[in-house]
Tab-separated table of all heavy atoms in Angstrom:
chain	number	residue	atom	x	y	z
A	387	LEU	N	105.818	65.686	102.455
A	387	LEU	CA	105.577	66.872	101.696
A	387	LEU	C	104.360	66.660	100.783
A	387	LEU	O	103.515	67.602	100.720
A	387	LEU	CB	106.853	67.116	100.778
A	387	LEU	CG	106.764	68.417	99.864
A	387	LEU	CD1	106.757	69.585	100.806
A	387	LEU	CD2	108.085	68.433	99.083
A	388	ALA	N	104.215	65.581	100.149
A	388	ALA	CA	102.959	65.351	99.366
A	388	ALA	C	101.769	65.264	100.203
A	388	ALA	O	100.716	65.851	99.792
A	388	ALA	CB	103.162	64.051	98.582
A	389	ALA	N	101.909	64.748	101.401
A	389	ALA	CA	100.648	64.563	102.194
A	389	ALA	C	100.293	65.856	102.999
A	389	ALA	O	99.129	66.087	103.365
A	389	ALA	CB	100.914	63.544	103.292
A	390	SER	N	101.217	66.783	103.134
A	390	SER	CA	100.951	68.037	103.772
A	390	SER	C	100.766	69.244	102.870
A	390	SER	O	100.124	70.237	103.260
A	390	SER	CB	102.074	68.347	104.821
A	390	SER	OG	103.290	68.628	104.071
A	391	VAL	N	101.250	69.089	101.666
A	391	VAL	CA	101.148	70.233	100.767
A	391	VAL	C	100.389	69.867	99.428
A	391	VAL	O	99.260	70.424	99.153
A	391	VAL	CB	102.552	70.784	100.345
A	391	VAL	CG1	102.450	71.900	99.325
A	391	VAL	CG2	103.292	71.272	101.598
A	392	ASP	N	100.882	68.972	98.717
A	392	ASP	CA	100.397	68.738	97.325
A	392	ASP	C	98.900	68.321	97.255
A	392	ASP	O	98.130	68.956	96.591
A	392	ASP	CB	101.267	67.628	96.555
A	392	ASP	CG	102.684	68.046	96.393
A	392	ASP	OD1	103.383	68.296	97.393
A	392	ASP	OD2	103.073	68.155	95.283
A	393	ILE	N	98.607	67.305	97.996
A	393	ILE	CA	97.217	66.770	97.978
A	393	ILE	C	96.244	67.648	98.629
A	393	ILE	O	95.160	67.988	98.155
A	393	ILE	CB	97.198	65.334	98.463
A	393	ILE	CG1	98.265	64.438	97.724
A	393	ILE	CG2	95.730	64.693	98.113
A	393	ILE	CD1	98.286	64.557	96.195
A	394	PRO	N	96.593	68.153	99.933
A	394	PRO	CA	95.669	69.086	100.542
A	394	PRO	C	95.329	70.401	99.722
A	394	PRO	O	94.254	70.871	99.662
A	394	PRO	CB	96.278	69.427	101.880
A	394	PRO	CG	97.188	68.208	102.124
A	394	PRO	CD	97.681	67.736	100.749
A	395	ARG	N	96.446	70.878	99.072
A	395	ARG	CA	96.211	72.016	98.229
A	395	ARG	C	95.352	71.784	96.994
A	395	ARG	O	94.541	72.569	96.615
A	395	ARG	CB	97.535	72.642	97.697
A	395	ARG	CG	98.085	73.763	98.573
A	395	ARG	CD	97.329	75.039	98.410
A	395	ARG	NE	97.165	75.461	97.072
A	395	ARG	CZ	98.131	76.228	96.414
A	395	ARG	NH1	99.180	76.571	97.015
A	395	ARG	NH2	97.916	76.484	95.162
A	396	ALA	N	95.481	70.580	96.473
A	396	ALA	CA	94.634	70.209	95.306
A	396	ALA	C	93.144	70.149	95.803
A	396	ALA	O	92.300	70.674	95.032
A	396	ALA	CB	95.035	68.854	94.774
A	397	ILE	N	92.899	69.581	96.904
A	397	ILE	CA	91.522	69.579	97.476
A	397	ILE	C	91.025	71.015	97.650
A	397	ILE	O	89.940	71.375	97.368
A	397	ILE	CB	91.490	68.719	98.749
A	397	ILE	CG1	91.816	67.243	98.463
A	397	ILE	CG2	90.115	68.866	99.410
A	397	ILE	CD1	92.123	66.427	99.717
A	398	GLY	N	91.942	71.783	98.328
A	398	GLY	CA	91.593	73.198	98.618
A	398	GLY	C	91.265	73.968	97.368
A	398	GLY	O	90.464	74.903	97.421
A	399	ASN	N	92.022	73.701	96.226
A	399	ASN	CA	91.731	74.427	95.041
A	399	ASN	C	90.219	74.346	94.589
A	399	ASN	O	89.640	75.318	94.210
A	399	ASN	CB	92.665	74.012	93.900
A	399	ASN	CG	94.155	74.434	94.149
A	399	ASN	OD1	94.416	75.368	94.918
A	399	ASN	ND2	94.998	73.728	93.549
A	400	PHE	N	89.704	73.120	94.617
A	400	PHE	CA	88.372	72.883	94.182
A	400	PHE	C	87.425	73.571	95.072
A	400	PHE	O	86.426	74.205	94.729
A	400	PHE	CB	88.058	71.454	94.032
A	400	PHE	CG	88.648	70.830	92.761
A	400	PHE	CD1	89.747	69.953	92.876
A	400	PHE	CD2	88.179	71.142	91.588
A	400	PHE	CE1	90.285	69.443	91.734
A	400	PHE	CE2	88.724	70.593	90.450
A	400	PHE	CZ	89.761	69.719	90.467
A	401	ARG	N	87.657	73.440	96.488
A	401	ARG	CA	86.742	74.069	97.424
A	401	ARG	C	86.765	75.624	97.333
A	401	ARG	O	85.805	76.278	97.491
A	401	ARG	CB	87.066	73.532	98.770
A	401	ARG	CG	86.620	72.092	98.945
A	401	ARG	CD	86.980	71.510	100.277
A	401	ARG	NE	86.455	70.087	100.386
A	401	ARG	CZ	86.878	69.197	101.178
A	401	ARG	NH1	87.898	69.490	102.006
A	401	ARG	NH2	86.426	67.981	101.194
A	402	ALA	N	87.966	76.084	97.155
A	402	ALA	CA	88.073	77.551	97.159
A	402	ALA	C	87.357	78.142	95.990
A	402	ALA	O	86.656	79.142	96.101
A	402	ALA	CB	89.622	77.986	97.014
A	403	TYR	N	87.429	77.526	94.771
A	403	TYR	CA	86.740	78.129	93.660
A	403	TYR	C	85.239	77.855	93.711
A	403	TYR	O	84.453	78.676	93.238
A	403	TYR	CB	87.388	77.654	92.401
A	403	TYR	CG	88.648	78.426	92.131
A	403	TYR	CD1	89.825	77.891	92.336
A	403	TYR	CD2	88.568	79.754	91.683
A	403	TYR	CE1	91.031	78.601	92.177
A	403	TYR	CE2	89.687	80.522	91.456
A	403	TYR	CZ	90.911	79.975	91.738
A	403	TYR	OH	92.056	80.692	91.540
A	404	ALA	N	84.822	76.753	94.341
A	404	ALA	CA	83.420	76.622	94.537
A	404	ALA	C	82.815	77.757	95.401
A	404	ALA	O	81.731	78.323	95.136
A	404	ALA	CB	83.125	75.276	95.324
A	405	ASP	N	83.570	78.160	96.458
A	405	ASP	CA	83.152	79.244	97.321
A	405	ASP	C	83.153	80.543	96.590
A	405	ASP	O	82.235	81.407	96.777
A	405	ASP	CB	84.070	79.315	98.536
A	405	ASP	CG	83.927	78.137	99.486
A	405	ASP	OD1	82.825	77.402	99.420
A	405	ASP	OD2	84.782	77.829	100.292
A	406	LEU	N	84.229	80.792	95.725
A	406	LEU	CA	84.434	82.057	95.067
A	406	LEU	C	83.239	82.337	94.081
A	406	LEU	O	82.956	83.455	93.824
A	406	LEU	CB	85.790	82.084	94.369
A	406	LEU	CG	86.913	82.513	95.241
A	406	LEU	CD1	88.227	82.190	94.508
A	406	LEU	CD2	86.871	83.926	95.673
A	407	LEU	N	82.713	81.225	93.512
A	407	LEU	CA	81.607	81.424	92.535
A	407	LEU	C	80.465	82.250	93.187
A	407	LEU	O	79.732	83.002	92.464
A	407	LEU	CB	81.083	80.114	92.063
A	407	LEU	CG	81.913	79.504	90.961
A	407	LEU	CD1	81.319	78.130	90.536
A	407	LEU	CD2	81.998	80.361	89.725
A	408	TYR	N	80.207	82.094	94.461
A	408	TYR	CA	79.124	82.741	95.106
A	408	TYR	C	79.405	84.183	95.538
A	408	TYR	O	78.522	84.913	95.830
A	408	TYR	CB	78.729	81.989	96.399
A	408	TYR	CG	77.936	80.663	96.045
A	408	TYR	CD1	78.632	79.451	96.177
A	408	TYR	CD2	76.603	80.646	95.553
A	408	TYR	CE1	77.968	78.289	95.818
A	408	TYR	CE2	75.996	79.482	95.298
A	408	TYR	CZ	76.623	78.291	95.423
A	408	TYR	OH	75.955	77.098	95.188
A	409	GLY	N	80.637	84.502	95.512
A	409	GLY	CA	80.997	85.872	95.926
A	409	GLY	C	81.396	86.842	94.825
A	409	GLY	O	81.913	87.907	95.139
A	410	ARG	N	81.213	86.468	93.637
A	410	ARG	CA	81.579	87.361	92.536
A	410	ARG	C	80.716	88.579	92.430
A	410	ARG	O	79.525	88.469	92.439
A	410	ARG	CB	81.524	86.631	91.188
A	410	ARG	CG	82.447	85.324	91.150
A	410	ARG	CD	83.084	85.262	89.702
A	410	ARG	NE	84.090	86.198	89.562
A	410	ARG	CZ	84.710	86.508	88.347
A	410	ARG	NH1	84.334	85.907	87.330
A	410	ARG	NH2	85.725	87.443	88.301
A	411	PRO	N	81.369	89.765	92.469
A	411	PRO	CA	80.559	90.971	92.305
A	411	PRO	C	80.031	91.171	90.923
A	411	PRO	O	80.617	90.789	89.958
A	411	PRO	CB	81.571	92.061	92.710
A	411	PRO	CG	82.845	91.513	92.284
A	411	PRO	CD	82.740	90.032	92.585
A	412	GLU	N	78.855	91.782	90.846
A	412	GLU	CA	78.202	92.145	89.532
A	412	GLU	C	78.294	93.688	89.518
A	412	GLU	O	77.758	94.320	90.426
A	412	GLU	CB	76.769	91.558	89.427
A	412	GLU	CG	76.758	90.086	89.397
A	412	GLU	CD	75.401	89.559	89.225
A	412	GLU	OE1	74.448	90.373	89.268
A	412	GLU	OE2	75.170	88.334	89.177
A	413	ARG	N	78.731	94.166	88.404
A	413	ARG	CA	78.902	95.639	88.288
A	413	ARG	C	77.806	96.245	87.380
A	413	ARG	O	77.460	95.708	86.375
A	413	ARG	CB	80.305	95.938	87.625
A	413	ARG	CG	81.475	95.537	88.545
A	413	ARG	CD	82.729	95.772	87.936
A	413	ARG	NE	83.890	95.279	88.761
A	413	ARG	CZ	85.158	95.286	88.400
A	413	ARG	NH1	85.481	95.769	87.247
A	413	ARG	NH2	86.023	94.805	89.242
A	414	ALA	N	77.339	97.394	87.813
A	414	ALA	CA	76.278	98.094	87.046
A	414	ALA	C	76.540	99.607	87.159
A	414	ALA	O	77.000	100.103	88.183
A	414	ALA	CB	74.889	97.738	87.558
A	415	HIS	N	76.253	100.313	86.089
A	415	HIS	CA	76.462	101.799	86.073
A	415	HIS	C	75.204	102.361	85.466
A	415	HIS	O	74.649	101.976	84.427
A	415	HIS	CB	77.631	102.157	85.174
A	415	HIS	CG	78.939	101.548	85.616
A	415	HIS	ND1	79.735	101.985	86.599
A	415	HIS	CD2	79.486	100.391	85.209
A	415	HIS	CE1	80.728	101.215	86.753
A	415	HIS	NE2	80.631	100.185	85.876
A	416	SER	N	74.665	103.442	86.133
A	416	SER	CA	73.598	104.184	85.632
A	416	SER	C	74.244	105.342	84.853
A	416	SER	O	75.089	106.123	85.332
A	416	SER	CB	72.758	104.785	86.756
A	416	SER	OG	71.685	105.563	86.214
A	417	THR	N	73.837	105.484	83.575
A	417	THR	CA	74.447	106.466	82.673
A	417	THR	C	73.437	107.467	82.178
A	417	THR	O	72.299	107.154	81.705
A	417	THR	CB	74.998	105.735	81.403
A	417	THR	OG1	75.861	104.673	81.864
A	417	THR	CG2	75.792	106.648	80.533
A	418	ALA	N	73.825	108.743	82.330
A	418	ALA	CA	72.897	109.829	81.859
A	418	ALA	C	73.157	109.996	80.344
A	418	ALA	O	74.269	110.053	79.942
A	418	ALA	CB	73.235	111.136	82.552
A	419	VAL	N	72.058	110.112	79.627
A	419	VAL	CA	72.195	110.261	78.163
A	419	VAL	C	71.340	111.478	77.739
A	419	VAL	O	70.254	111.420	77.362
A	419	VAL	CB	71.647	108.951	77.370
A	419	VAL	CG1	72.031	109.101	75.931
A	419	VAL	CG2	72.234	107.764	78.003
A	420	PRO	N	71.941	112.689	77.817
A	420	PRO	CA	71.227	113.900	77.504
A	420	PRO	C	70.723	113.910	76.091
A	420	PRO	O	71.457	113.504	75.131
A	420	PRO	CB	72.299	115.002	77.690
A	420	PRO	CG	73.312	114.421	78.631
A	420	PRO	CD	73.342	112.962	78.330
A	421	GLY	N	69.482	114.286	75.896
A	421	GLY	CA	68.906	114.339	74.591
A	421	GLY	C	68.377	113.036	73.995
A	421	GLY	O	68.008	113.069	72.862
A	422	TRP	N	68.583	111.955	74.745
A	422	TRP	CA	68.106	110.658	74.258
A	422	TRP	C	66.571	110.704	74.102
A	422	TRP	O	65.920	110.872	75.116
A	422	TRP	CB	68.579	109.528	75.156
A	422	TRP	CG	68.049	108.153	74.830
A	422	TRP	CD1	67.079	107.495	75.368
A	422	TRP	CD2	68.534	107.377	73.746
A	422	TRP	NE1	66.913	106.277	74.799
A	422	TRP	CE2	67.759	106.191	73.754
A	422	TRP	CE3	69.436	107.513	72.699
A	422	TRP	CZ2	67.920	105.160	72.792
A	422	TRP	CZ3	69.596	106.525	71.791
A	422	TRP	CH2	68.854	105.372	71.835
A	423	SER	N	66.124	110.481	72.899
A	423	SER	CA	64.676	110.624	72.660
A	423	SER	C	63.918	109.414	72.847
A	423	SER	O	62.691	109.359	72.836
A	423	SER	CB	64.478	111.160	71.222
A	423	SER	OG	64.978	110.251	70.250
A	424	GLY	N	64.565	108.243	73.007
A	424	GLY	CA	63.900	106.968	73.081
A	424	GLY	C	63.520	106.583	74.438
A	424	GLY	O	62.968	105.477	74.698
A	425	GLY	N	63.716	107.431	75.493
A	425	GLY	CA	63.402	107.016	76.821
A	425	GLY	C	63.477	108.204	77.780
A	425	GLY	O	63.269	109.334	77.492
A	426	THR	N	64.050	107.922	78.987
A	426	THR	CA	64.100	108.853	80.104
A	426	THR	C	65.458	109.651	80.108
A	426	THR	O	65.568	110.554	80.992
A	426	THR	CB	63.956	108.176	81.415
A	426	THR	OG1	65.074	107.299	81.587
A	426	THR	CG2	62.648	107.361	81.504
A	427	GLY	N	66.238	109.428	79.125
A	427	GLY	CA	67.545	110.032	79.214
A	427	GLY	C	68.512	109.301	80.072
A	427	GLY	O	69.463	109.876	80.542
A	428	GLN	N	68.182	108.063	80.366
A	428	GLN	CA	69.125	107.269	81.256
A	428	GLN	C	69.318	105.881	80.595
A	428	GLN	O	68.529	105.486	79.757
A	428	GLN	CB	68.383	106.988	82.587
A	428	GLN	CG	68.165	108.250	83.421
A	428	GLN	CD	69.275	108.417	84.492
A	428	GLN	OE1	69.794	107.433	85.044
A	428	GLN	NE2	69.685	109.629	84.628
A	429	ALA	N	70.468	105.318	80.900
A	429	ALA	CA	70.800	103.942	80.473
A	429	ALA	C	71.345	103.182	81.645
A	429	ALA	O	72.003	103.744	82.494
A	429	ALA	CB	71.774	103.962	79.243
A	430	LEU	N	71.132	101.892	81.586
A	430	LEU	CA	71.726	101.015	82.634
A	430	LEU	C	72.706	100.107	81.927
A	430	LEU	O	72.337	99.406	80.975
A	430	LEU	CB	70.633	100.204	83.295
A	430	LEU	CG	71.192	99.199	84.313
A	430	LEU	CD1	71.782	99.860	85.499
A	430	LEU	CD2	70.020	98.207	84.740
A	431	ASN	N	73.974	100.197	82.341
A	431	ASN	CA	75.014	99.287	81.854
A	431	ASN	C	75.343	98.310	82.989
A	431	ASN	O	75.599	98.704	84.088
A	431	ASN	CB	76.368	100.116	81.528
A	431	ASN	CG	76.166	100.846	80.260
A	431	ASN	OD1	76.464	100.281	79.105
A	431	ASN	ND2	75.768	102.082	80.286
A	432	TYR	N	75.314	97.014	82.600
A	432	TYR	CA	75.745	96.060	83.532
A	432	TYR	C	76.675	95.009	82.758
A	432	TYR	O	76.551	94.827	81.584
A	432	TYR	CB	74.639	95.385	84.334
A	432	TYR	CG	73.659	94.477	83.433
A	432	TYR	CD1	73.838	93.210	83.382
A	432	TYR	CD2	72.609	95.166	82.834
A	432	TYR	CE1	72.942	92.359	82.630
A	432	TYR	CE2	71.663	94.429	82.142
A	432	TYR	CZ	71.877	93.032	81.968
A	432	TYR	OH	70.915	92.271	81.283
A	433	THR	N	77.460	94.337	83.589
A	433	THR	CA	78.362	93.357	82.956
A	433	THR	C	78.133	91.928	83.438
A	433	THR	O	77.898	91.689	84.674
A	433	THR	CB	79.903	93.773	83.459
A	433	THR	OG1	80.117	95.046	83.005
A	433	THR	CG2	80.973	92.746	82.851
Side-chain angles (χ1 to χ4, degrees):
L387 184 60
S390 63
V391 177
D392 296 63
I393 311 309
R395 263 290 306 276
I397 295 167
N399 288 338
F400 284 108
R401 289 179 176 156
Y403 281 102
D405 292 342
L406 278 168
L407 278 179
Y408 287 103
R410 299 218 76 191
E412 295 181 356
R413 296 177 182 175
H415 304 276
S416 178
T417 307
V419 190
W422 176 253
S423 59
T426 65
Q428 294 264 326
L430 177 66
N431 284 273
Y432 66 95
T433 303

